[in-house]
Amino acid sequence: MKLAVVGGGSTYTPELIDGFARLRDTLPISELVLVDPAADRLELVGGLARRIFAKQGHPGVITTTSDLDAGVADADAVLLQLRVGGQAARLQDETWPLECGCVGQETTGAGGLAKALRTVPVVLDIAERVRRTNPNAWIIDFTNPVGIVTRALLQAGHRAVGLCNVAIGFQRKFAARLDAAPSDVFLDHVGLNHLSWELGVRIGGPEGTDMLPKLLAEHGDAIADDLHLPRSVLDRLGVVPSYYLRYFYAHDEVVRELGSKPSRAAEVAAMEKELLAMYGDPELDEKPALLAKRGGAFYSEAAVDLASSLLGSGGSRYQVVNTYNNGTLPFLPDDAVIEVQATVDGSGATPLAVPALDPLYAGLIANVTAYEDLALEAALRGGRDRVFRALLAHPLIGQYAYADELTDKLLAHNREHLAWA
């Protein structure tokens, strides 16, 4: 089995490698190719990756290349974890929206749109090159904004599934608080990527006993602290929103916070510098503890689970993924991409049925889906007016003066990445 990781020079990659090594019986990789145009980073990450495999006795061969076509040739699955423009572009995404009093974040609001505009054309080019070498290869997208990128891939006819680590992070934390095995915890996870809620936490599968009331009653303070939301909000909702809902539920508070401290991009850039120095140590043969602060917790387990299910080598029966709606949420078009529990096998992902949603959640999902429609149109076709329309549709913007100003700022900061601009 051959896997390729595009963006293999990312500091995330040792997390992924560690999962491949530990879970080799679930996903028996014979060849793993790390692909990245940044040859210096790739050398450091590739060296550590080989040492991790060697320490844990994995028989697979790890190679590195900056040649995308050679790297993905004959791959059974290709994982995408790239960042167009690097941390420098992320820093801009987190900064210029604040000048308009809007949240600055890499996947939410105007910054998220900028990332989508930069990313979608690049990802579609990569996917076409994958299709030329192996039309049956699966593409697993971890590249943000996952929902928009996955929709672009699916609409172009690629065999693709989107993946995020939010759900598996909740699963692991809830399992620990319930003193249960993670594999026994099933989430009633519903929404879009980075716009989701846990409506239930069940033991033993979709028909199991819902333990969410117990979790909120006994651990509500800790859960609220993790989400940086008041406990009273969780009690009134009776569900657990993802961390990203804070940008909606406490937008102005978050904007004030973001304007008063260093950006997350600056923190990550400093962390990446330190991590890469660690990766260059020939004695290091395991992922360093610092990597846990980089983000992407449990990404490796989620990726192994999904890849093994798609490739028929095992994996969980149920997984939270990003895939076509196909009637699951009846208030959305079939070709919207939603993030829900699904059965996953060699034919792809099939969402499980979802009960009728409270309008409190359905309304926001529908609104953000409309924004994502317009964002994808802007990413595919370009044009200032399309960017403006997407920003005007976003529930965190929604005023023409803000949308106009944000459009100008977005274009000014991203011209080098937008061929049409």
Side-chain angles (χ1 to χ4, degrees), residues 171 183 185-187 204-207 305-306 309 315-321 340-345 350-352:
Q171 181 200 45
S183 59
V185 175
F186 178 94
L187 302 178
E207 305 302 324
D305 212 12
L306 180 54
S309 294
S316 302
R317 180 181 180 189
Y318 304 116
Q319 295 167 49
V320 174
V321 298
V340 293
Q341 286 279 3
T343 56
V344 183
D345 56 27
T350 303
L352 300 184

Side-chain angles (χ1 to χ4, degrees), residues 33-213:
V33 184
L34 305 181
V35 185
D36 203 295
D40 52 343
R41 292 171 62 108
L42 193 57
E43 181 180 358
L44 295 174
V45 174
L48 175 56
R50 294 186 190 97
R51 295 193 295 273
I52 291 174
F53 263 31
K55 180 180 181 179
Q56 299 197 32
H58 195 298
V61 174
I62 296 178
T63 59
T64 60
T65 182
S66 296
D67 184 334
L68 175 67
D69 294 318
V72 302
D74 301 319
D76 297 290
V78 177
L79 280 70
L80 305 181
Q81 56 171 35
L82 56 143
R83 182 182 293 279
V84 179
Q87 293 298 330
R90 177 180 180 173
L91 178 61
Q92 296 297 327
D93 294 344
E94 294 179 352
T95 303
W96 53 263
L98 294 174
E99 297 170 5
C100 300
C102 296
V103 67
Q105 210 276 331
E106 64 162 339
T107 63
T108 303
L113 177 60
K115 193 172 196 302
L117 297 180
R118 295 193 303 268
T119 304
V120 165
V122 173
V123 165
L124 289 179
D125 176 67
I126 292 169
E128 287 298 330
R129 292 160 77 172
V130 171
R131 181 152 55 188
R132 287 200 296 268
T133 66
N134 182 3
N136 293 317
W138 280 103
I139 296 176
I140 297 173
D141 179 62
F142 193 67
T143 297
N144 282 320
V146 169
I148 295 172
V149 172
T150 301
R151 187 169 181 179
L153 288 166
L154 290 172
Q155 287 187 349
H158 298 289
R159 288 160 58 86
V161 180
L163 180 65
C164 180
N165 69 321
V166 166
I168 194 172
F170 274 132
Q171 181 200 45
R172 298 306 172 88
K173 288 182 178 180
F174 293 158
R177 288 171 175 145
L178 293 169
D179 195 24
S183 59
D184 289 337
V185 175
F186 178 94
L187 302 178
D188 290 337
H189 180 105
V190 180
L192 309 177
N193 180 242
H194 290 185
L195 192 89
S196 58
W197 298 261
E198 309 308 327
L199 306 184
V201 179
R202 303 182 184 278
I203 298 296
E207 305 302 324
T209 302
D210 184 10
M211 304 299 290
L212 182 55

Side-chain angles (χ1 to χ4, degrees), residues 316-384:
S316 302
R317 180 181 180 189
Y318 304 116
Q319 295 167 49
V320 174
V321 298
N322 287 261
T323 192
Y324 270 151
N325 177 44
N326 282 337
T328 308
L329 300 180
F331 54 89
L332 297 183
D334 286 347
D335 66 350
V337 165
I338 60 175
E339 186 173 275
V340 293
Q341 286 279 3
T343 56
V344 183
D345 56 27
S347 63
T350 303
L352 300 184
V354 173
L357 287 185
D358 186 312
L360 180 62
Y361 315 125
L364 187 53
I365 290 170
N367 193 338
V368 175
T369 297
Y371 151 75
E372 291 188 348
D373 288 346
L374 296 169
L376 182 54
E377 182 180 8
L380 294 174
R381 302 177 63 191
R384 186 189 187 283

Side-chain angles (χ1 to χ4, degrees), residues 220-377:
D221 289 341
I223 295 170
D225 286 346
D226 283 346
L227 300 173
H228 300 283
L229 287 171
R231 165 73 184 270
S232 61
V233 172
L234 299 190
D235 289 340
R236 292 165 74 181
L237 293 176
V239 304
V240 178
S242 79
Y243 173 85
Y244 292 88
L245 265 299
R246 187 168 184 259
Y247 297 116
F248 295 81
Y249 293 163
H251 176 271
D252 294 352
E253 178 183 340
V254 172
V255 168
R256 288 192 294 270
E257 288 177 4
L258 293 175
S260 65
K261 64 181 183 180
S263 70
R264 174 62 177 165
E267 293 176 356
V268 170
M271 201 179 305
E272 286 197 332
K273 185 176 180 180
E274 188 174 353
L275 284 169
L276 289 170
M278 292 179 176
Y279 295 171
D281 179 358
E283 300 300 316
L284 183 67
D285 57 6
E286 60 185 11
K287 63 177 183 179
L290 179 62
L291 187 55
K293 298 181 180 180
R294 171 65 179 83
F298 309 116
Y299 161 41
S300 59
E301 285 90 340
V304 168
D305 212 12
L306 180 54
S308 60
S309 294
L310 292 171
L311 298 176
S313 63
S316 302
R317 180 181 180 189
Y318 304 116
Q319 295 167 49
V320 174
V321 298
N322 287 261
T323 192
Y324 270 151
N325 177 44
N326 282 337
T328 308
L329 300 180
F331 54 89
L332 297 183
D334 286 347
D335 66 350
V337 165
I338 60 175
E339 186 173 275
V340 293
Q341 286 279 3
T343 56
V344 183
D345 56 27
S347 63
T350 303
L352 300 184
V354 173
L357 287 185
D358 186 312
L360 180 62
Y361 315 125
L364 187 53
I365 290 170
N367 193 338
V368 175
T369 297
Y371 151 75
E372 291 188 348
D373 288 346
L374 296 169
L376 182 54
E377 182 180 8

